[in-house]
Amino acid sequence: MDGTGRGQKSFVGYEYKEIVAEGSRLNFLLDGYESFGWEEDGRLAESATARSTALQQRTALRMKRNRKIANKVELTRLERNFEACVDEIGKLEKAKTSLAAMYAIIVGVIGTAFMAGSVFAVTAQPPNYILCILLAVPGFLGWLFPHFLYKKIAGKQTEKITPLIEAKYDEIYEICEKGNKLLY
């Protein structure tokens, strides 16, 4: 260097982290990780698409944190607790509809079995039309009923699980508050 008086930046070593999440949860995760000393790495593309499906878009969030941050051990412990709570919220969100989907599929398969029996009854030699009709009615009901069953069970599950999700969000906010106090 020529010694012209330019200010020198002190060296800061960073650790890096990449999180892949749904686009709708990205801001929530970014706010949470900032409580543990992470900041968005602005040098990279804002958020590259990691996987794209017809149902949801998953995005990569790249972050960095000073390696010599104070209280790093405690912040890391709180961060892991935060991540566990976020994972639990994801599982609870899936639980809202998984039981309903399972029951709807089972009823649909049973309806299909009745419909298959109806087809076999009508194609038998000689055709048994009465048995065909008796098996076709529950078959059609087995194809129509799953939609309403799904809606009803999913509604009940949502009512039951929503308070648990809200409690997890409260726990996350407490964890983030503790992490933020350790930073400043």
Side-chain angles (χ1 to χ4, degrees):
M1 294 294 202
D2 59 2
T4 58
R6 284 192 270 172
Q8 281 192 329
K9 280 178 71 173
S10 61
F11 174 76
V12 178
Y14 290 103
E15 57 184 331
Y16 297 92
K17 184 174 203 148
E18 184 173 310
I19 295 133
V20 178
E22 293 176 32
S24 61
R25 303 186 84 184
L26 221 48
N27 288 333
F28 169 73
L29 291 173
L30 182 59
D31 290 344
Y33 279 108
E34 284 177 353
S35 299
F36 308 113
W38 293 99
E39 58 189 52
E40 195 170 8
D41 191 359
R43 291 181 294 157
L44 298 173
E46 183 177 308
S47 54
T49 301
R51 253 183 281 167
S52 177
T53 64
L55 298 176
Q56 68 184 17
Q57 184 119 5
R58 297 187 56 85
T59 307
L61 178 64
R62 294 175 181 94
M63 298 182 299
K64 66 181 179 179
R65 170 170 80 176
N66 187 343
R67 290 179 84 71
K68 295 186 180 184
I69 193 167
N71 301 314
K72 185 176 179 179
V73 173
E74 182 65 16
L75 285 170
T76 303
R77 185 189 69 77
L78 289 171
E79 182 182 333
R80 286 190 183 129
N81 198 355
F82 167 78
E83 290 170 346
C85 288
V86 169
D87 288 342
E88 211 168 312
I89 287 174
K91 289 176 185 175
L92 288 171
E93 289 288 345
K94 287 181 184 177
K96 285 181 181 179
T97 57
S98 62
L99 183 66
M102 181 184 68
Y103 281 130
I105 290 170
I106 289 171
V107 170
V109 168
I110 291 171
T112 301
F114 273 103
M115 194 55 72
S118 172
V119 169
F120 288 135
V122 81
T123 59
Q125 290 300 327
N128 192 341
Y129 294 112
I130 294 174
L131 182 60
C132 172
I133 293 170
L134 289 175
L135 292 174
V137 170
F140 281 121
L141 290 176
W143 286 351
L144 295 173
F145 187 62
H147 172 71
F148 302 108
L149 181 66
Y150 177 85
K151 291 277 192 184
K152 184 176 181 178
I153 293 175
K156 285 183 180 180
Q157 286 293 101
T158 299
E159 287 178 15
K160 189 168 77 172
I161 291 176
T162 299
L164 299 173
I165 292 173
E166 291 301 321
K168 279 294 165 189
Y169 276 117
D170 291 341
E171 185 178 341
I172 284 174
Y173 295 138
E174 289 174 12
I175 292 169
C176 290
E177 188 176 347
K178 288 177 186 177
N180 199 28
K181 285 180 182 177
L182 288 173
L183 285 175
Y184 303 107

